[in-house]
Amino acid sequence: MPSRRRRSLIEPIKVDGQQDLVRLWMLRILVRLGAEAELLKKDTLGATERLSFLGEKYTSAGGALPPGAQTAMLIVDLAVMEHAETLPTPGGDLGHNLSWIADALAMDAVERDVFTFVALAHMHPVLESVLTGMKDLTFLAFQNLLVKVLGHTRDEILRVVSTSGTLHRSGLIEFEIFNHWPFSNKARLLETLPSHLALPVKDPMAIFGSSFRQSPPATLTRSDYRHLDEDLALIEAQIRNAITTGQRGVNILLHGVPGTGKTECARMLAERLGVQLVEVATEEDCGDPIQPECRFRSYHLAQAILGKSRKHMVLFDEIEDVFREEKGPGVHSGRWGKAKAWVNRVLESNPVPAIWVTNNRWVLDAAYLRRFDYIAEVGVPPKPVRAAIIEAHLTGLEVSDEVKSSLAARTDLAPALLTRASRTVRTARGQGAGEDSGQALLRTLGNTLEAMGRKLDKPSKVSSGLAFDPDLINADTDLSALAGGLRRIPEGRLCLYGAPGTGKTAFAHHLAQVVDRPLLIKRASDLLDPFVGMTERKLAAMFDEARKEEAVLLLDEADSLLRDRRGAVHGWEATQVNELLVQVESFEGIFIATTNRMEDLDPAVLRRFDFKVRFQVMTSVQTSMMFTKVIDECGLLVESPIDEAVRSLGGMAPGDFATVIRQARLAPLEGVSDLAQRLRAERAHRERDQKSKVGF
């Protein structure tokens, strides 16, 4: 049985003016349903409070009433109330609010009575106590209870409490027709509603404040989403047509990683379309999260209340928690099935255009996805757009071009994060606190991203300390000519192979600078996933990111993903290669794969590469040129002939020189002999490491 929060009899909600109505219902339960013995018997839990509520005459005798006297008193009191000129009705703020909801949902007389009874059953402590004190109810007994208490026919009650009735379809009340449960679980009022029903409100919509509420103004503008121009044009046209014509079943899905501005995008769209956006609440007034099923019902209620308006849109945010099925002890398995049926029906018939937002679209079944009119990924904007957004948001802050460039290079920087961070820095600077604006901004953004568990993307750069020189790379292809060709036509597929440290990755950095595009680096460790199908998804996402960034895509350690399918042991190994082949074929940019194990690559993969460039250890001439360059770079004293030192440096790789230069920053070189000695040591480490590793 699902649990439900109970309200103690000593902590009642004040429901002014409803006492007579509750007393009438209580008398009907005691008399017409014969529940006197069950509810008023001495020593029965709550009996004293119930007798006290009925009146002083029921308690003045101290329980010494003659046999049958109490029953006679109940019958007389009921007759008096039922023969009064007018029967009691809800009054005050509660009555006004109940009536407004009933009017908004176009309830008939029977629906209004059932709604009023269920509402007070969840709000009035004595009525709740009476209903709780009764035995668990079958659906037939539940109907009989409403028939006897409200005075309508069984057919009328059955129509109202069916799952196709207004009360159930709107999400206002969920009726349970199968299990033997107490009344509170046979008719479940939307949990977020009771706390607002008895409040005085100027705006009737405030009654639903814990279920759905008016969205705040957007903090981002259309210019912040220039990377989504084509998507947003189609979305705006679809929603505008629905608002104008009253078309039903219009639903938009926005998905993407956290912080990319999906919610702000929905708010911006509503403002551009001139409609009021209503958001389904994610937490109660006290801050407690609202359960997924309750959020579904709140969405239904918002659709039902606003159904006749052409001036609203509904935002259903954070839907991944709603669509994730809960399992475990105490979780009623049947409710999720109902929720699925609700979703299918709503996506086809909702009267108010809706925008659904999620961080993870994979939680949605394909049956749901195909019912959306449009699905758009709200990703991090490409670098040119990020740069423009940064300039706009940092107006008035003294931030250096270097910091702006650093921020623009970060693919994890979303507009929403930048908005909040810049606001924090402005506040701090306005109060004379903290460091300079640029460093404060970097610190604020860095802390937020780190707390989110996301990797901080920093501008890529070659760390050797020496500028890249194609003449010092021993490749079987003219690298300068290749880079020049790709500058003219920035589309090609390159496989760079050879021993570690021979300059494959350095050339990728150099090529990105030549074609004036960012370099997006992915490694096998970033893409391989233990769950079936996830590696393929990550591969597809990698190419999507490169397209949006207009970046040169570098797949390092590619042999881990492109092994010959003829040696595959598991089906998923071949599937990964297939997915990568499909993505490479459709990628209209520069794709670079590097590997130290060319012989392991699938033949079909190799055929897809326009150039297969072999990188080898440096020639003696290149080694001499690099040796001299390092001497000049480090300002070393030449205490012995250079030629003699170079002759001992056969089989060197550019990576060996890069490592020694980094060492020199911590332990300065003492001369040419020391440089040669360190280079020989690095070569020995590299060769030994190369022999000991399998696949590298």
Side-chain angles (χ1 to χ4, degrees):
M1 180 189 305
S3 61
R4 181 175 174 274
R5 288 173 293 182
R6 297 290 183 188
R7 187 176 298 109
S8 169
L9 285 177
I10 61 174
E11 298 176 343
I13 284 183
K14 293 182 179 180
V15 190
D16 297 333
Q18 314 310 319
Q19 304 296 76
D20 287 343
L21 182 59
V22 171
R23 189 166 183 267
L24 172 62
W25 287 337
M26 183 175 174
L27 288 169
R28 287 176 175 175
I29 291 171
L30 295 170
V31 175
R32 293 183 179 179
L33 291 173
E36 178 187 357
E38 186 177 359
L39 298 174
L40 301 183
K41 184 179 179 181
K42 187 178 180 181
D43 299 328
T44 299
L45 183 64
T48 301
E49 290 84 353
R50 295 166 196 148
L51 286 167
S52 178
F53 181 78
L54 286 171
E56 184 179 354
K57 62 183 177 181
Y58 288 92
T59 58
S60 60
L65 289 172
Q70 181 174 267
T71 302
M73 291 164 57
L74 292 171
I75 294 172
V76 170
D77 284 351
L78 176 58
V80 169
M81 293 197 74
E82 290 187 330
H83 286 83
E85 185 174 338
T86 58
L87 293 177
T89 58
D93 294 318
L94 175 64
H96 177 270
N97 294 340
L98 291 175
S99 180
W100 186 89
I101 295 174
D103 290 340
L105 295 178
M107 294 184 194
D108 60 28
V110 184
E111 291 168 335
R112 289 171 183 262
D113 285 349
V114 172
F115 172 45
T116 302
F117 183 75
V118 173
L120 284 174
H122 285 74
M123 300 175 65
H124 197 288
V126 175
L127 181 59
E128 184 179 31
S129 168
V130 168
L131 294 170
T132 301
M134 302 179 69
K135 296 178 180 178
D136 288 355
L137 303 170
T138 64
F139 188 53
L140 183 61
F142 171 69
Q143 295 176 55
N144 189 53
L145 169 63
L146 294 178
V147 168
K148 297 294 186 181
V149 173
L150 301 179
H152 298 292
T153 67
R154 186 173 298 278
D155 287 343
E156 290 174 325
I157 293 297
L158 183 59
R159 171 180 60 81
V160 171
V161 302
S162 70
T163 54
S164 61
T166 298
L167 297 180
H168 189 95
R169 282 190 297 105
S170 67
L172 195 61
I173 302 173
E174 183 187 27
F175 295 107
E176 170 57 54
I177 64 176
F178 296 109
N179 297 283
H180 293 204
W181 280 346
F183 182 89
S184 59
N185 285 316
K186 297 297 287 185
R188 300 173 64 242
L189 186 68
L190 186 61
E191 291 181 9
T192 54
L193 200 56
S195 60
H196 285 68
L197 272 178
L199 297 178
V201 292
K202 294 181 180 179
D203 178 7
M205 292 296 291
I207 301 171
F208 308 107
S210 290
S211 302
F212 56 87
R213 59 197 64 158
Q214 181 175 317
S215 178
T219 58
L220 299 179
T221 66
R222 184 67 169 78
S223 62
D224 292 316
Y225 296 95
R226 280 171 286 181
H227 56 300
L228 299 175
D229 278 343
E230 295 179 355
D231 289 320
L232 294 179
L234 291 171
I235 291 172
E236 287 184 24
Q238 182 69 24
I239 297 177
R240 184 176 289 108
N241 178 70
I243 294 170
T244 302
T245 65
Q247 179 185 352
R248 302 173 71 90
V250 173
N251 296 277
I252 306 298
L253 177 64
L254 302 181
H255 67 93
V257 297
T260 51
K262 299 181 293 296
T263 302
E264 285 297 321
C265 184
R267 293 169 178 168
M268 177 272 295
L269 283 170
E271 290 184 2
R272 284 178 59 84
L273 292 166
V275 296
Q276 176 61 58
L277 185 66
V278 171
E279 299 184 15
V280 176
T282 58
E283 60 182 33
E284 298 182 25
D285 295 338
C286 61
D288 290 341
I290 299 175
Q291 295 303 308
E293 183 188 349
C294 186
R295 295 193 67 217
F296 256 136
R297 293 174 60 190
S298 295
Y299 171 81
H300 275 270
L301 185 56
Q303 287 284 347
I305 293 294
L306 303 173
K308 295 181 181 179
S309 170
R310 292 191 182 180
K311 298 181 180 179
H312 287 86
M313 280 170 46
V314 176
L315 171 61
F316 200 166
D317 205 347
E318 300 180 19
I319 64 171
E320 55 270 14
D321 292 333
V322 174
F323 280 87
R324 188 177 295 115
E325 183 173 0
E326 296 185 35
K327 297 179 180 179
V331 177
H332 176 45
S333 60
R335 295 196 183 279
W336 183 248
K338 294 178 182 178
K340 286 182 176 178
W342 275 358
V343 173
N344 287 334
R345 185 170 64 245
V346 163
L347 287 175
E348 295 171 350
S349 61
N350 52 300
V352 182
I355 296 181
W356 304 59
V357 172
T358 180
N359 296 330
N360 181 11
R361 68 180 174 89
W362 304 112
V363 300
L364 275 71
D365 189 90
Y368 299 148
L369 291 174
R370 65 171 175 261
R371 286 178 165 85
F372 284 96
D373 294 88
Y374 199 86
I375 299 174
E377 180 180 8
V378 182
V380 176
K383 186 175 180 179
V385 177
R386 291 201 301 271
I389 293 173
I390 288 168
E391 284 290 345
H393 282 73
L394 300 187
T395 301
L397 287 177
E398 296 181 3
V399 178
S400 68
D401 291 339
E402 182 182 359
V403 170
K404 292 178 182 178
S405 177
S406 174
L407 292 175
R410 291 184 172 180
T411 59
D412 50 6
L413 182 61
L417 294 178
L418 184 62
T419 299
R420 286 189 289 271
S422 61
R423 183 173 60 229
T424 298
V425 173
R426 289 180 195 280
T427 301
R429 299 301 296 167
Q431 298 181 4
E435 54 208 330
D436 69 82
S437 299
Q439 292 303 313
L441 191 65
L442 290 174
R443 184 184 303 278
T444 303
L445 287 167
N447 290 346
T448 300
L449 290 167
E450 188 173 344
M452 293 167 65
R454 290 166 59 186
K455 181 180 178 181
L456 296 179
D457 293 339
K458 296 183 179 180
S460 300
K461 61 181 180 179
V462 182
S463 58
S464 66
L466 293 173
F468 180 84
D469 186 349
D471 292 335
L472 298 179
I473 302 297
N474 186 12
D476 62 359
T477 301
D478 186 335
L479 299 182
S480 295
L482 179 58
L486 289 170
R487 181 179 178 85
R488 291 190 302 273
I489 305 174
E491 181 178 346
R493 308 160 189 164
L494 312 180
C495 177
L496 312 182
Y497 68 98
T502 50
K504 301 184 294 296
T505 302
F507 174 65
H509 283 273
H510 170 71
L511 180 60
Q513 293 176 352
V514 169
V515 300
D516 193 24
R517 294 194 176 193
L519 179 64
L520 176 62
I521 302 176
K522 296 290 182 179
R523 297 176 177 81
S525 56
D526 300 324
L527 303 170
L528 291 171
D529 194 287
F531 295 101
V532 175
M534 287 305 299
T535 297
E536 289 84 346
R537 291 180 182 178
K538 289 182 177 180
L539 284 169
M542 172 182 73
F543 282 92
D544 285 342
E545 183 178 354
R547 289 187 188 94
K548 293 172 182 176
E549 289 288 316
E550 298 182 355
V552 174
L553 176 57
L554 171 61
L555 176 57
D556 206 0
E557 305 168 358
D559 44 280
S560 299
L561 289 162
L562 297 176
R563 294 186 187 280
D564 194 333
R565 286 169 290 183
R566 291 172 296 184
V569 177
H570 305 286
W572 49 262
E573 294 176 295
T575 303
Q576 292 173 4
V577 177
N578 293 338
E579 177 64 29
L580 193 51
L581 286 174
V582 171
Q583 294 294 336
V584 169
E585 286 282 2
S586 62
F587 184 61
E588 298 178 350
I590 300 175
F591 172 63
I592 303 173
T594 65
T595 177
N596 304 329
R597 301 280 296 183
M598 183 70 162
E599 65 275 12
D600 288 347
L601 267 59
D602 191 281
V605 172
L606 290 176
R607 289 196 299 270
R608 263 66 173 190
F609 289 107
D610 303 315
F611 285 90
K612 292 164 274 291
V613 184
R614 183 182 182 186
F615 286 69
Q616 303 178 75
V617 294
M618 305 167 73
T619 65
S620 59
V621 174
Q622 289 172 328
T623 301
S624 179
M625 292 172 61
M626 180 70 88
F627 194 80
T628 302
K629 195 172 186 178
V630 172
I631 290 174
D632 293 340
E633 181 76 18
C634 297
L636 298 180
L637 177 66
V638 181
E639 79 284 0
S640 59
I642 294 177
D643 292 345
E644 182 179 342
V646 171
R647 280 195 294 270
S648 66
L649 298 177
M652 298 303 300
D656 300 330
F657 284 91
T659 302
V660 170
I661 290 175
R662 289 196 299 272
Q663 290 176 1
R665 294 169 181 168
L666 302 177
L669 292 164
E670 297 178 359
V672 172
S673 298
D674 186 23
L675 171 60
Q677 182 179 350
R678 294 194 193 186
L679 286 170
R680 288 192 296 269
E682 284 306 315
R683 179 187 61 193
H685 286 309
R686 172 173 53 80
E687 292 175 345
R688 183 169 56 251
D689 186 54
Q690 194 173 355
K691 290 179 181 179
S692 65
K693 288 187 176 182
V694 177
F696 291 88

